[in-house]
Amino acid sequence: MSNQHCRGTSSITQFSAMAYSTIILLCAALAQAVQAATHLPGPSGPCRVQTTHAKLLDTSRVDPFSPTHDKRAIMATSYVPVNCGHTKFEPYLPPHTEAVTDQLFRSYGMPNGTTIKGFRIESGFASNDTSPSDKQYPVIIFSPGLGASRLYYSLILESVASTGFVVVSVDHPYDTSSVDFPDGSVIYGVNVSAADPVTLNTRVQDVIFTLDQIHDNPHLIPSSFTDTLELDRVAIVGHSFGGATAAAAMLNEPRFAGGLNFDGALWGPVVEEGLDRPFINFGHANITQLDNNSWGKIWPHLRGFRRELQLAGSLHLTFTDFPLIRDVGGWPVKVKQGTEELLGSLSGLRVRAILTEYIVASATFFITGEKSKLLDGPSSDYPEVKYVA
């Protein structure tokens, strides 16, 4: 990643204000990782994932931020599950070696109850060889934070796709720090405001256009999948201003069956008008008021299924790939901007596991109506998640 591509945007938002130092650290960490040929952790689900990047040109719109009044062009990435099957595991050690190892633990003075039993290691992958035409795939559209690249969430979205979802993430040029297009051109961020209706309305049109393109654009989704997607009922997920985009898009597009907002203040008419379909606000650990209490304002106007959750040990940038990149790249456990910590205390793998499970549970419920116990109340599997309302 070049220094040019590591430049931040001047957008004044919670994400971009906190993200600038983290982006600089990300550049350094990725540079180290490239030199060491370090691989980031792969998806955690039973499917392998095919990733496709595509430019989407909306000839019906003039880009309101373009200094030359170009047609609106965005970048999107699709994550498509392939070779879905079952990962085989076997015990890490055979029984006698387990017993001897446990005796060694005790002889070394390790606490009572310390055991190697129960640990399992991947031993193979059994594909069910299901072709795309054999089933229908549910779809999620994802919108990033203001000033954030769609690619800052790739590790999370890959893991969601590996459970059997088709996921499409969207970059919103001029409010994103930088957007790289296939022809080598780059659009850098400009000073836009979340409070400006043009910013939100442009994003809403971007995600609705992307939903249309999922079926119409052969460069975005592999052709073998285009007739296997459930596009009448789609989930929409976003982080920070992407969460506001999700709520506003639901107000404008009935095909969005439900929305999940990660730590984003809500803006626009949806705050007062509310929604008649499921919507979940999922915030960081100490969230008390988001930009004039937009969560509190919308709550009585959410007429469908509604939840408000918090993630213990998290901060605003926890809901990105950065905690996992921090762990792999050897960053300090506490990444700080001045005295302010940025990424929270949870491990990157734990963050990804929690966010993957709650995205999958939420999107499944939005699209099919099948509700996981995760949405009913606290789970012993994920004690970090607090149910506020």
Side-chain angles (χ1 to χ4, degrees), residues 134-170:
D134 291 333
K135 63 172 291 185
Q136 290 287 301
Y137 288 85
V139 174
I140 298 170
I141 289 183
F142 181 86
S143 178
L146 194 64
S149 168
R150 74 192 190 283
L151 303 175
Y152 293 169
Y153 308 85
S154 296
L155 299 175
I156 297 167
L157 300 182
E158 277 189 342
S159 278
V160 173
S162 74
T163 69
F165 280 86
V166 168
V167 183
V168 179
S169 60
V170 183

Side-chain angles (χ1 to χ4, degrees), residues 11-13 15-16 144-148 175 192-194 199 203 239-242:
S11 305
I12 303 172
T13 67
F15 186 101
S16 55
L146 194 64
D175 82 28
V192 300
S193 169
T199 307
R203 277 176 160 250
H239 172 231
S240 194
F241 197 55

Side-chain angles (χ1 to χ4, degrees), residues 102-103 105-115:
D102 284 348
Q103 289 178 355
F105 284 169
R106 287 190 289 274
S107 71
Y108 292 151
M110 298 183 72
N112 290 336
T114 302
T115 179

Side-chain angles (χ1 to χ4, degrees), residues 156-198:
I156 297 167
L157 300 182
E158 277 189 342
S159 278
V160 173
S162 74
T163 69
F165 280 86
V166 168
V167 183
V168 179
S169 60
V170 183
D171 260 342
H172 307 280
Y174 295 102
D175 82 28
T176 298
S177 56
S178 68
V179 182
D180 293 79
F181 289 91
D183 63 0
S185 63
V186 182
I187 293 178
Y188 291 103
V190 298
N191 189 21
V192 300
S193 169
D196 183 350
V198 173

